[in-house]
Amino acid sequence: MPTTTTPPALVAPRKAKRGGRRDGVLPYAMVAPLVVFIGALAIYPTVLTVIEAFFHSDPLTPPNHFVGFGNFSAVFANSQVRHSIESTGWYALFGVVLTVGLGIGIALLLQRPFRGRGVLLAIVILPWALPGVVEGVIWSWIYSPTFGVLNSALKSLRLIGQYQLFIGSHQIETILLISLVQVWQITPLATLLVLAAMQSIPDELYESARVDGAAWYQHITRVTLPLVRPAVAIAMAEALVMSINIFDQVYVLNAAASTGSSLMSQTYFITFQDLNFGQGYALSLFATVATILLSLLILKVVYRKVEY
Amino acid sequence: MRRRLGRLGRVGALTIVVVWSLFPVYWALKTSLSTNVASQSTPVQWVPSHVKFTAYQALFGAGPESQDAAGGIARSLINSTVEAAGATVLTLVVAVLGAYAFARLRFRFKGLLFYGVIATLMLPVYATLIPLYRIMADLGLVDTYTGIILVYASGFIPLAMWIMYNVFMALPSSIEEAAVIDGATTMQSFRKIALPMSRPGIAATAIVTFLFGWSQFIFPLVLSSSDATQPLTVLLAAIDSRNVPYTIINAASIIAVAIPAVIVFLLNRWIVTGITAGGVK
Amino acid sequence: MIEKRQKLISKTAAFGVASALVLTGLTGAASAATTSANKAALQNVTINVAIAYPAPPKAMLAAFTKSTGIKVNYSYIQWDDLQTKIAAAAEAHTYFADVADVDWSKVGEYYQTKWFMPLNKYFNVASLPAQYPQIASFIRDGELIGMPSDVSLLVTDVNTKDFAKAGITKMPTTFSQYQADLTALQTKGIVAHPLDIPFAAAEGLSTYWYETTAAFGGQVLSSSYKPEFSSPSSAGYKAMTWMVAAYKDGLVPKGNLSLEDYQGFSNDQAQNLTASVFSDYSGDVGTVYDVPSSSKVVGQVEYIPTPGVSGPAPNLANPDGIGIPSTAKNVNAAVEFIKWYDEAANQAAFAGAQGVSNSISGFPLPANTAGLAQLVSSGKVPGAAELANLAEHHSRAIFPAGAPPWYPAFSNAVYTNLHSAAAGQESVASAISAITSQVSSLGG
């Protein structure tokens, strides 16, 4: 994500200048594999997507032909797609709020060093390291309406009378629970980002707050939070991108139902089940643009450069 | 007194965090070690009454409940490892070389190329899924390790490059400058100074990339059409929708998380470096 | 990936093989003994086979390799994933497998997209209808898109022990009796939720609706693919209303909202949590309910003729088939595999004629009448005789004109809306109208 200032290295750094010697061909050789890779396997395919989004491409009704915005209008006229866009909005909301909220909370708990913090960090990181699909499967068993432990625990605590069907009957409930699995997965990222930023806060600031008679929670609201704002902005942007992109958990927990379908799972089904590749490209393009715009928006609104 | 409460509160909160992080994995482990009947009891058993390894035996083709998922899982384990490791190696080579050039060397178009690569970080997965499939198909690389590794690497390289760029930038250049004065070439100062000094950063990048590779799902779902290259994630999703007993599905899940879990617990220091270095943009 | 050497051998021998095939005038039930020209050509060829059923028993595959020299690389891919892979590979014009699943519902699509090669030159199409009761589903405009690999019917089964406990000794023959019996099971406390309907948004829900529509005396699409379920008095509308009401009134376990067909069979019916499946797949008694290691109802579940509005309803056919993708590499070896798979003795074994351990789990009935006869005479599979009778005399295709090319999108509309209706997210009326408008936008 571009920062608000140009990284200093790209502005003719004094230090790296080697007494007038030019670096010749070597830099190009070193960068070549990188550029070829990204050019061929990231940029070129994206360009293809952009172009193909404007063509009708469906093996059931050949031939392919230019249709301008036809794919887009068809896709947005599709009520299932509109529903999945709305659902994805909820996924994003839950994803960002819960991930960043929990991330900040856990980072606060881990801020001061203590015995065993290393182990605790490892435990906190664990969900992030696991494949989303596997997490979906594990949680589907927890949510199971017939043998799930969530039902069992709630019933033992007398919070529910009989086993509930958590996933599949109500849209928001379904989305919240599936989002929770992703939150479980990406919170560690937010935690670490915020935690790293917290480490840079000089102790003097907390000292002077204490001297000024600030209560413990004011240490957090007046000192910590403002100073970790850039990290929070980045965590929010990352959480946003990942929750808009949510696929693995939805695929496992929601399959082809429309209740909790996300934009990406809808794109998948339109492409590989309905075989309407043109519309699939159009949706992909829409999602890409939306993701970029929204994350830039978050960065613009939340990010503040912090200097000590 | 307040401090006591504060401490108690913190310990309590940390306990909740630990339970939140570990409980689902514990639950999958517990289910995989139970019998079919026990796993379906209401209310649930919090600890298995009889620990049985039949689910694991079934997965590997032995024991009374032998499933045809067997053979599938051994092969998928190998596939996941080869694909993640191969992608890691390729990514590291390409990213480290490029990052060093961006961090230390001067050349025309440096800014353009740098931002061009970084910009691809913004691309969500599906911007490239179908065209990449088509490209791999044209090259005859569908359902091959090569194809999958190339695709993975193309996704991981931008982030790896960004992390290594920051790592190289953080190295004090005084040592390299001294070496240059002594007549070292760029390649020599790269190999003998920058690389060894940035080992932690390289390790972090390698671990993070490997974990990403291990977790991939939608790309292999489309690109790997048979057992030859199918990773654990795809296999797991497939057997989840068949009528395979839940003990076995959870056993397969545990196998799929075993390696990442081990990596996390042994190497967590480097993971932290990797994630935070990559996050600061 | 075959080596160049093998490619060369198979190319040079292709002419010899092709003429041998034509001369012997092979039918679908040809024996596995190949001519020596074939055998030489096919030695050490490896084919990739991707089917949505578990692999045949190892010993049988080994015997195939021994007699033909062809090695089989078998992939058991879950049905929906398999369709995705077939589509992805075909769209990219890339090799995926030599033999792949051709579902009855895909024949219209494959005929239009030409993703599978017509098999007319390898099989004598004129002789097939006499041998294969459900061959009609696989022929479109005279082209044979795939060979049937099983006979599958949508059938009704009940747990006779539960019914007996409720005092029901005579099985229901009409739909209203069936409904009354289910209610009796419930009110007498024998089974809390006696009916298994898989309400997950998946193909199994669509086929369940088609069969229920047949029981109500109608069909879902006309021969020109126009919707016949849109009016409230139509069979399809009533069927959907009944299914949704059954879920809401608790006749169906609440958890079924997220269960797919086979999950419902093994988690509900096989565990005695339900007492009846109105639209099950033929063969499940032998391969699911009577398997001691995973079923609690061994010996208790039996097929009954599907209770219709005024008598027995037809059992719709939903057979699986196997075909050769257009991008296949080893076409002749693939043909040999298909012939082997369809051999009467093998088909009977897959369905359980040689015992459960030599069968394929979930396999329905043999595709050909010879196989059916062998299955029945083996006596090892309960209900086989009745099923064979149903297959030959009581069954019809789901769509009179075959599956439309846009079938997957249609089925998707059906199961997502039916699922939503059961979940209470929309009414039956709006579900029906959503499906209707989807049909018209697809070209029906």
Side-chain angles (χ1 to χ4, degrees):
Chain A
M1 252 134 264
T3 57
T4 52
T5 59
T6 316
L10 295 178
V11 179
R14 294 280 117 195
K15 280 191 189 166
K17 211 166 155 79
R18 283 159 172 75
R21 181 191 76 172
R22 273 182 310 167
D23 296 313
V25 165
L26 182 64
Y28 296 105
M30 290 178 90
V31 178
L34 183 62
V35 169
V36 166
F37 240 102
I38 300 304
L41 295 182
I43 298 188
Y44 173 60
T46 309
V47 169
L48 277 185
T49 298
V50 171
I51 295 177
E52 297 267 8
F54 298 95
F55 280 78
H56 170 97
S57 174
D58 179 346
L60 288 178
T61 50
N64 297 352
H65 54 272
F66 182 74
V67 286
F69 283 98
N71 285 330
F72 292 91
S73 53
V75 140
F76 291 121
N78 182 336
S79 64
Q80 270 191 320
V81 171
R82 287 202 307 273
H83 182 95
S84 75
I85 293 179
E86 185 207 325
S87 300
T88 304
W90 287 107
Y91 278 117
L93 181 66
F94 291 137
V96 173
V97 169
L98 290 174
T99 302
V100 176
L102 281 175
I104 295 178
I106 299 177
L108 284 171
L109 282 174
L110 295 174
Q111 189 178 7
R112 302 267 171 243
F114 56 86
R115 258 182 75 188
R117 183 166 78 152
V119 175
L120 221 29
L121 259 181
I123 291 178
V124 164
I125 292 175
L126 182 63
W128 173 84
L130 308 178
V133 179
V134 181
E135 299 180 344
V137 171
I138 293 178
W139 279 83
S140 75
W141 182 237
I142 293 178
Y143 288 144
S144 159
T146 36
F147 305 117
V149 62
L150 181 61
N151 265 314
S152 183
L154 289 179
K155 184 148 184 251
S156 313
L157 292 172
R158 307 226 191 290
L159 288 171
I160 54 174
Q162 52 172 351
Y163 275 26
Q164 300 287 319
L165 179 67
F166 291 116
I167 304 233
S169 40
H170 300 111
Q171 185 192 9
I172 308 288
E173 185 184 357
T174 302
I175 292 176
L176 177 60
L177 290 176
I178 298 180
S179 176
L180 205 58
V181 182
Q182 193 190 37
V183 166
W184 186 69
Q185 182 186 26
I186 62 182
T187 297
L189 179 61
T191 306
L192 287 177
L193 283 173
V194 173
L195 188 58
M198 282 177 182
Q199 307 301 331
S200 321
I201 301 178
D203 284 332
E204 295 87 62
L205 292 175
Y206 290 112
E207 251 321 294
S208 39
R210 202 174 60 81
V211 161
D212 287 349
W216 66 268
Y217 55 86
Q218 284 174 322
H219 281 232
I220 299 176
T221 54
R222 299 267 174 84
V223 180
T224 316
L225 288 185
L227 291 176
V228 300
R229 197 163 156 162
V232 169
I234 294 172
M236 284 178 74
E238 301 236 0
L240 179 74
V241 172
M242 288 191 268
S243 51
I244 291 184
N245 274 350
I246 187 173
F247 180 79
D248 299 6
Q249 289 90 346
V250 174
Y251 186 85
V252 172
L253 288 164
N254 185 70
S258 61
T259 320
S261 77
S262 69
L263 191 51
M264 193 154 168
S265 70
Q266 202 57 33
T267 308
Y268 175 79
F269 285 117
I270 287 184
T271 306
F272 291 104
Q273 186 179 75
D274 298 349
L275 301 181
N276 198 322
F277 287 83
Q279 286 185 5
Y281 289 126
L283 257 186
S284 302
L285 184 55
F286 166 72
T288 306
V289 170
T291 307
I292 294 179
L293 287 180
L294 284 172
S295 37
L296 285 178
L297 181 66
I298 284 198
L299 285 175
K300 187 132 177 63
V301 167
V302 183
Y303 189 91
R304 289 274 184 283
K305 200 150 168 37
V306 159
E307 272 161 21
Y308 295 109
Chain B
M1 179 59 191
R2 195 189 296 165
R3 223 184 244 170
R4 269 270 195 83
L5 268 179
R7 266 195 73 195
L8 214 54
R10 277 194 64 211
V11 170
L14 281 174
T15 313
I16 295 180
V17 169
V18 170
V19 169
W20 156 259
S21 281
L22 292 183
F23 179 75
V25 180
Y26 165 72
W27 197 249
L29 183 63
K30 174 222 102 112
T31 308
S32 70
L33 293 174
S34 314
T35 56
N36 256 332
V37 174
S39 73
Q40 294 176 348
S41 63
T42 52
V44 298
Q45 291 179 349
W46 292 88
V47 180
S49 49
H50 304 283
V51 169
K52 291 252 186 273
F53 289 94
T54 44
Y56 291 97
Q57 286 175 321
L59 276 177
F60 287 99
E65 294 174 7
S66 186
Q67 291 283 325
D68 43 295
I73 201 149
R75 181 71 207 215
S76 303
L77 200 50
I78 296 175
N79 290 340
S80 284
T81 310
V82 168
E83 288 157 13
T88 302
V89 168
L90 183 56
T91 300
L92 272 182
V93 168
V94 174
V96 166
L97 281 177
Y100 187 77
F102 282 125
R104 287 287 186 257
L105 306 182
R106 305 179 57 212
F107 52 99
R108 273 175 79 182
F109 305 123
K110 180 150 95 157
L112 178 66
L113 291 174
F114 184 78
Y115 278 116
V117 172
I118 295 297
T120 57
L121 275 170
M122 297 279 260
L123 293 176
V125 171
Y126 35 60
T128 53
L129 178 61
I130 305 166
L132 269 178
Y133 181 78
R134 281 257 198 79
I135 294 173
M136 286 302 142
D138 290 340
L139 292 173
L141 290 177
V142 173
D143 205 33
T144 60
Y145 283 146
T146 315
I148 291 183
I149 287 176
L150 283 175
V151 169
Y152 282 6
S154 72
F156 303 152
I157 283 175
L159 183 63
M161 197 226 64
W162 172 255
I163 296 177
M164 287 312 301
Y165 171 80
N166 285 317
V167 167
F168 285 133
M169 288 298 292
L171 289 183
S173 48
S174 45
I175 304 182
E176 290 165 83
E177 283 174 357
V180 165
I181 293 174
D182 284 348
T185 65
T186 315
M187 272 319 276
Q188 281 173 333
S189 81
F190 170 63
R191 276 179 29 232
K192 296 203 171 26
I193 301 173
L195 277 188
M197 280 177 73
S198 53
R199 267 209 209 112
I202 295 181
T205 309
I207 294 171
V208 169
T209 307
F210 182 85
L211 287 175
F212 278 148
W214 189 270
S215 305
Q216 285 300 305
F217 177 61
I218 188 167
F219 272 97
L221 182 64
V222 173
L223 279 173
S224 109
S225 46
S226 78
D227 288 357
T229 55
Q230 176 177 266
L232 275 170
T233 44
V234 176
L235 177 74
L236 192 60
I239 67 177
D240 186 44
S241 40
R242 301 184 208 153
N243 51 334
V244 169
Y246 261 111
T247 50
I248 295 186
I249 295 180
N250 277 296
S253 303
I254 291 294
I255 292 177
V257 306
I259 292 196
V262 164
I263 291 181
V264 165
F265 279 100
L266 289 184
L267 306 171
N268 69 319
R269 207 177 327 135
W270 280 313
I271 297 179
V272 174
T273 319
I275 299 181
T276 49
V280 179
K281 294 179 173 84
Chain C
M1 306 276 192
I2 56 167
E3 298 163 21
K4 280 212 175 99
R5 177 169 48 88
Q6 290 158 0
K7 231 184 196 161
L8 191 56
I9 292 179
S10 70
K11 264 198 188 133
T12 51
F15 183 75
V17 169
S19 13
L21 284 173
V22 166
L23 287 172
T24 53
L26 291 166
T27 66
S31 74
T34 58
T35 65
S36 53
N38 292 8
K39 198 154 179 190
L42 300 172
Q43 280 301 320
N44 288 321
V45 167
T46 304
I47 53 169
N48 284 314
V49 174
I51 297 183
Y53 279 109
K58 287 203 179 78
M60 292 177 75
L61 278 176
F64 171 72
T65 303
K66 191 146 179 272
S67 75
T68 60
I70 302 169
K71 297 203 185 71
V72 175
N73 194 6
Y74 190 99
S75 294
Y76 166 21
I77 304 181
Q78 189 266 338
W79 193 87
D80 300 273
D81 290 348
L82 180 52
Q83 309 308 318
T84 302
K85 293 192 158 111
I86 293 177
E91 171 66 8
H93 310 294
T94 185
Y95 170 73
F96 156 59
D98 300 285
V99 176
D101 177 87
V102 175
D103 195 71
W104 69 272
S105 62
K106 300 286 189 166
V107 173
E109 179 183 302
Y110 295 157
Y111 169 70
Q112 185 129 337
T113 57
K114 306 202 185 314
W115 286 353
F116 279 78
M117 52 177 75
L119 299 176
N120 298 55
K121 45 181 171 163
Y122 307 110
F123 298 93
N124 183 347
V125 177
S127 69
L128 293 178
Q131 299 167 39
Y132 292 89
Q134 296 182 336
I135 190 75
S137 302
F138 294 96
I139 302 182
R140 190 57 55 86
D141 270 356
E143 279 191 18
L144 180 66
I145 309 288
M147 281 296 287
S149 59
D150 59 46
V151 143
S152 182
L153 305 169
L154 301 174
V155 295
T156 307
D157 52 54
V158 302
N159 187 316
T160 49
K161 195 162 159 212
D162 288 334
F163 270 57
K165 276 196 218 161
I168 303 167
T169 42
K170 195 169 157 301
M171 289 300 137
T173 50
T174 65
F175 195 81
S176 45
Q177 279 176 13
Y178 179 75
Q179 174 84 358
D181 288 346
L182 288 180
T183 318
L185 281 164
Q186 208 178 24
T187 48
K188 291 192 183 159
I190 313 287
V191 184
H193 309 286
L195 178 60
D196 175 23
I197 303 181
F199 271 106
E203 178 74 12
L205 182 58
S206 300
T207 51
Y208 208 107
W209 179 54
Y210 307 151
E211 178 65 18
T212 312
T213 302
F216 274 85
Q219 57 189 18
V220 297
L221 293 177
S222 70
S223 349
S224 48
Y225 299 138
K226 298 269 172 277
E228 290 193 357
F229 48 83
S230 313
S231 119
S233 56
S234 65
Y237 198 108
K238 291 192 204 159
M240 193 171 286
T241 310
W242 177 76
M243 288 172 72
V244 171
Y247 181 79
K248 291 196 170 146
D249 295 341
L251 269 182
V252 177
K254 283 274 171 277
N256 279 33
L257 194 59
S258 54
L259 288 188
E260 295 183 18
D261 43 15
Y262 276 101
Q263 294 173 329
F265 305 153
S266 52
N267 296 349
D268 289 346
Q269 186 76 345
Q271 310 301 321
N272 208 7
L273 291 173
T274 53
S276 173
V277 186
F278 190 71
S279 172
D280 203 328
Y281 304 134
S282 55
D284 280 345
V285 168
T287 51
V288 178
Y289 305 131
D290 280 355
V291 178
S293 58
S294 50
S295 162
K296 290 190 182 148
V297 296
V298 179
Q300 298 171 18
V301 180
E302 287 178 16
Y303 302 110
I304 60 169
T306 302
V309 168
S310 47
N315 296 98
L316 299 178
N318 63 332
D320 303 282
I322 45 181
I324 305 181
S326 307
T327 51
K329 292 192 172 144
N330 298 304
V331 177
N332 296 308
V335 171
E336 289 304 311
F337 181 85
I338 295 179
K339 288 191 203 142
W340 173 82
Y341 200 90
D342 274 353
E343 268 176 48
N346 294 336
Q347 286 277 312
F350 297 155
Q354 293 172 21
V356 169
S357 51
N358 275 330
S359 70
I360 294 180
S361 169
F363 193 86
L365 295 173
N368 37 33
T369 44
L372 278 168
Q374 285 195 23
L375 182 67
V376 172
S377 60
S378 78
K380 286 240 168 72
V381 174
E386 303 146 279
L387 287 178
N389 181 42
L390 289 175
E392 287 169 58
H393 304 122
H394 246 279
S395 100
R396 65 165 170 83
I398 295 182
F399 300 110
W406 33 264
Y407 175 77
F410 169 70
S411 176
N412 180 289
V414 170
Y415 61 65
T416 44
N417 284 294
L418 183 43
H419 171 91
S420 293
Q425 292 157 6
E426 59 176 332
S427 66
V428 173
S430 79
I432 293 276
S433 87
I435 306 172
T436 310
S437 58
Q438 175 72 318
V439 173
S440 45
S441 73
L442 287 168

